[in-house]
Amino acid sequence: MKSIHDEEQLKKDLKDQKIPAFRYSQIENAIYKNFITDFEEIQTIPKELRKFLKQNYFYSSLTVDCIKTSSNWQTTKILFKTKTWEFIESVIMRHLTWRNTLCVSSQAGCPMACTFCATWKLGLLKNLEAHEIVEQIMFAAKMLQEEWKKLRNIVYMGMWEPFLNYENVKKSIKIACDQKKLNIANRRVTVSSCWIVPWINKFTKDFPQTSLAISLHAPNDEIRKSIMPVDHTYNLEKLMNSLDEYVKVTNKRIFYEYIMINWVNDNIKLAYELWELLKWKLAHVNFIPYNPWEGAWWIKYKPTPRFIIEKFQKILDEYWVVSTIRATMWDDIDAACWQLANKKKD
């Protein structure tokens, strides 16, 4: 069986079956515009073609294992099971501004071993296929449609590192942004990376309109190495050179994620180092309070007090570096940043 989201394969099969090319457009419209999940319900195509699709293609390979919604109803976390029995998670965020966002996974588990993240303890189980990423997006889009809402933004910030699964992520972005499919604007798709430098360079060429977020979390290599092993391979100098090239080509602002961990990376002097690193650059810093996760007692990390985060922000403001303190709204269902670890029950 093949995925219905494999456009190239489906067009080839239709051609081999001597089925007119326009039938693909009808199938495409039914799936991506009308969110029809049962091929038998696509009434715009002949019965024989519906039968052919049912015998040869599947709509989704993922099954829903668990769905949790936060107490304020703004956030829903979906735990999916793959055909090969890995578990992955997606998070739907319904903002009060009607801006609905999906945080999507590109890997089952993660190999990056960042000490503040729950996902790393799973290790890398597998890279997701392009259709498995798209299926998460389709599920969220259909759920929101049933609520009379529309999926507006996609962030590749679930189980990841997206750039270690680049080709499949690339295919999924193209499907999401295709005008004849989900028609999500490229600028409303954000790919987050620990900074795998060679792939940032490739991403710059392939997706100049798509947004880039970098997991920074410290303004110097010494602290980064203590919490993010990737810094041993790609240090700050290599990263910033690559990002300067990205901005030169795209003229787009880069989002820098900075998790605030008490007594680890929140010394006020680091705010000045952060300013020094980002001054005169197209940058937007997102300060994210550390979100404790189950099983992390031995790490002994604690969230930075709000007043210290505000001091960081004030220092950046004084030097014209834009920043935001991100609100934590979803930790009651373990859906906040770096809490995704396939937890099924409370």
Side-chain angles (χ1 to χ4, degrees):
M1 297 286 282
K2 293 162 274 191
S3 171
I4 198 67
H5 304 296
D6 188 341
E7 178 178 348
E8 185 178 341
Q9 181 63 55
L10 179 53
K11 284 183 174 179
K12 179 180 181 302
D13 284 349
L14 294 179
K15 185 177 180 180
D16 290 346
Q17 295 292 318
K18 295 183 171 36
I19 296 172
F22 74 86
R23 293 298 184 191
Y24 176 78
S25 296
Q26 294 176 316
I27 296 168
E28 182 180 45
N29 187 73
I31 291 170
Y32 298 104
K33 302 300 183 183
N34 299 322
F35 297 105
I36 294 175
T37 60
D38 185 347
F39 301 145
E40 290 289 348
E41 296 179 7
I42 305 178
Q43 297 301 313
T44 53
I45 61 176
K47 182 178 180 180
E48 294 76 14
L49 179 52
R50 298 200 297 269
K51 182 178 179 181
F52 172 80
L53 293 178
K54 192 170 184 178
Q55 291 176 340
N56 294 277
Y57 282 84
F58 60 82
Y59 175 82
S60 181
S61 63
L62 301 179
T63 55
V64 176
D65 187 87
C66 179
I67 297 178
K68 286 184 180 181
T69 298
S70 61
S71 56
N72 62 9
W73 295 94
Q74 283 184 251
T75 307
T76 297
K77 182 173 75 170
I78 309 105
L79 180 67
F80 295 102
K81 182 170 66 176
T82 71
K83 285 289 187 183
T84 47
W85 293 85
E86 294 87 11
F87 288 90
I88 58 174
E89 291 175 315
S90 300
V91 180
I92 300 172
M93 295 165 277
R94 306 171 186 84
H95 300 278
L96 297 179
T97 56
W98 297 92
R99 177 171 53 86
N100 303 300
T101 300
L102 175 68
C103 180
V104 68
S105 291
S106 55
Q107 295 180 311
C110 179
M112 303 313 292
C114 300
T115 59
F116 50 80
C117 180
T119 311
W120 78 269
K121 70 179 183 179
L122 302 173
L124 177 61
L125 303 177
K126 80 164 188 173
N127 283 328
L128 297 184
E129 298 293 335
H131 67 79
E132 291 173 314
I133 301 172
V134 173
E135 288 165 18
Q136 296 172 68
I137 300 171
M138 295 298 296
F139 185 92
K142 189 172 190 298
M143 175 180 280
L144 288 168
Q145 186 206 43
E146 291 169 354
E147 300 171 8
W148 298 92
K149 297 180 176 71
K150 186 176 181 180
L151 179 61
R152 182 177 182 272
N153 298 75
I154 301 172
V155 293
Y156 285 75
M157 296 182 183
M159 293 179 167
W160 63 307
E161 163 60 57
F163 286 165
L164 292 182
N165 190 18
Y166 186 83
E167 292 304 321
N168 286 313
V169 167
K170 178 179 177 179
K171 291 177 184 177
S172 69
I173 293 174
K174 288 186 174 181
I175 290 174
C177 297
D178 191 321
Q179 290 185 345
K180 294 182 179 180
K181 293 182 171 64
L182 291 174
N183 194 28
I184 294 174
N186 274 273
R187 67 182 183 278
R188 292 177 179 168
V189 176
T190 301
V191 177
S192 179
S193 173
C194 280
W195 66 13
I196 311 299
V197 169
W199 293 109
I200 291 175
N201 299 336
K202 186 169 177 56
F203 178 78
T204 301
K205 297 175 183 177
D206 290 341
F207 296 104
Q209 297 302 315
T210 301
S211 299
L212 177 64
I214 295 295
S215 285
L216 186 63
H217 309 308
N220 61 59
D221 289 316
E222 181 181 359
I223 296 176
R224 271 199 109 251
K225 286 177 182 176
S226 70
I227 60 177
M228 299 180 71
V230 69
D231 192 82
H232 289 271
T233 303
Y234 302 110
N235 62 23
L236 273 170
E237 182 180 3
K238 292 178 180 178
L239 172 70
M240 299 314 294
N241 289 338
S242 178
L243 296 181
D244 286 344
E245 183 62 25
Y246 170 85
V247 173
K248 181 180 177 181
V249 171
T250 67
N251 197 36
K252 285 181 65 66
R253 188 181 301 273
I254 296 172
F255 296 92
Y256 292 88
E257 312 294 336
Y258 197 107
I259 189 171
M260 298 297 291
I261 309 173
N262 201 204
W263 302 108
V264 176
N265 64 349
D266 64 352
N267 189 299
I268 291 301
K269 71 175 185 178
L270 296 176
Y272 292 97
E273 288 189 37
L274 185 59
W275 161 73
E276 186 68 31
L277 181 69
L278 299 178
K279 65 180 180 181
W280 317 125
K281 297 182 183 295
L282 275 175
H284 186 123
V285 178
N286 283 320
F287 290 113
I288 306 170
Y290 170 68
N291 299 300
W293 42 276
E294 185 177 300
W297 59 268
W298 55 275
I299 299 177
K300 299 182 179 179
Y301 286 165
K302 293 182 179 179
T304 294
R306 175 82 182 193
F307 77 92
I308 295 180
I309 303 178
E310 290 174 352
K311 282 185 178 180
F312 262 68
Q313 186 176 43
K314 185 177 180 181
I315 290 168
L316 293 191
D317 285 347
E318 290 175 356
Y319 293 101
W320 304 96
V321 176
V322 181
S323 65
T324 302
I325 300 175
R326 190 180 294 175
T328 299
M329 308 187 309
W330 321 296
D331 53 350
D332 62 327
I333 57 170
D334 297 310
C337 294
W338 303 292
Q339 284 188 326
L340 301 185
N342 295 342
K343 183 180 177 184
K344 299 184 185 181
K345 299 178 182 178
D346 294 329

